[in-house]
Amino acid sequence: MGAKNAKPAKSRFSMISDAANVYGLRSFDNYAQIRSLAERVQEGLCAYMQHDKKCVFLVPPQGPFTSQNYGSGAFSVSGKGFLPLEPISFGLGVRVSGTGDFMRIVLHCRIEGSRIFMQVEENKSYEFILPVSDEDIDLCKEGLFQHLLHWFTDRVDRYDNGHYGNTDIGFDIQRIDED
């Protein structure tokens, strides 16, 4: 009698499908939170550097880029089909000269609980509590400005003092012809 009223057990496929759906929701949340942070940093950095033209773009973390925002193509998970639940990298193409030179800063982001961690290349890391405050974005913009400034001034200092030969693996500055 009790067997007639019992619900049938979920199929193995249904169990996997349910788990994949939860995974998909989390991976989308991961991407949306990191993309929102990236866009907020990108939108304010040019004004922060007091430049009158559009001078900061979301660009892919690797490969060639031009002075344009790449949208979803700026993120390391772009083009992977099923959105992976993993840390995400993106690039900021930042104008560093009046002659069209842009330098790419690669940022790596991961979410842990209610915090986003953003690492600037192999240097400084920033920790943001969700939701990310404007004050935290301002601290990040100052840090990125300092990162760029020190990249150049440190290398000039090394040259001026005879210690500019090192084991750095290149740099990512590109001249971009603008219309």
Side-chain angles (χ1 to χ4, degrees):
M1 198 172 6
K4 289 183 183 180
N5 294 333
K7 290 184 180 179
K10 276 187 147 182
S11 71
R12 288 179 179 89
F13 173 78
S14 293
M15 291 167 45
I16 290 173
S17 179
D18 290 348
N21 286 334
V22 170
Y23 177 97
L25 291 171
R26 297 300 189 285
S27 63
F28 180 76
D29 181 65
N30 181 58
Y31 172 73
Q33 295 280 6
I34 291 170
R35 182 168 178 167
S36 174
L37 174 62
E39 289 173 343
R40 288 178 66 192
V41 170
Q42 176 267 323
E43 288 169 358
L45 188 56
C46 192
Y48 186 80
M49 295 190 324
Q50 301 166 318
H51 194 277
D52 58 349
K53 291 184 179 179
K54 185 110 170 114
C55 64
V56 181
F57 300 94
L58 282 173
V59 301
Q62 298 176 342
F65 67 92
T66 61
S67 56
Q68 67 177 19
N69 284 317
Y70 282 74
S72 61
F75 298 88
S76 60
V77 295
S78 177
K80 291 193 174 183
F82 197 83
L83 190 60
L85 183 54
E86 61 186 28
I88 297 175
S89 299
F90 63 93
L92 289 176
V94 182
R95 178 189 289 271
V96 294
S97 76
T99 56
D101 296 307
F102 281 76
M103 183 169 182
R104 178 182 4 229
I105 301 173
V106 178
L107 303 155
H108 310 281
C109 297
R110 71 182 191 286
I111 295 178
E112 293 180 10
S114 63
R115 299 178 187 278
I116 296 180
F117 295 88
M118 183 175 76
Q119 183 173 347
V120 181
E121 296 177 350
E122 302 302 322
N123 295 319
K124 180 148 177 71
S125 288
Y126 296 91
E127 180 179 340
F128 303 95
I129 297 172
L130 295 169
V132 178
S133 70
D134 290 339
E135 293 80 21
D136 285 344
I137 295 291
D138 288 343
L139 288 173
C140 179
K141 291 185 290 190
E142 173 62 21
L144 293 173
F145 161 72
Q146 290 295 329
H147 172 78
L148 287 166
L149 181 62
H150 287 120
W151 193 93
F152 289 104
T153 59
D154 287 349
R155 280 154 182 82
V156 168
D157 182 58
R158 289 180 200 164
Y159 175 80
D160 288 349
N161 292 300
H163 299 289
Y164 71 102
N166 61 33
T167 59
D168 283 355
I169 303 174
F171 55 89
D172 200 359
I173 298 179
Q174 297 184 38
R175 170 89 25 105
I176 297 176
D177 295 324
E178 297 180 299
D179 298 327

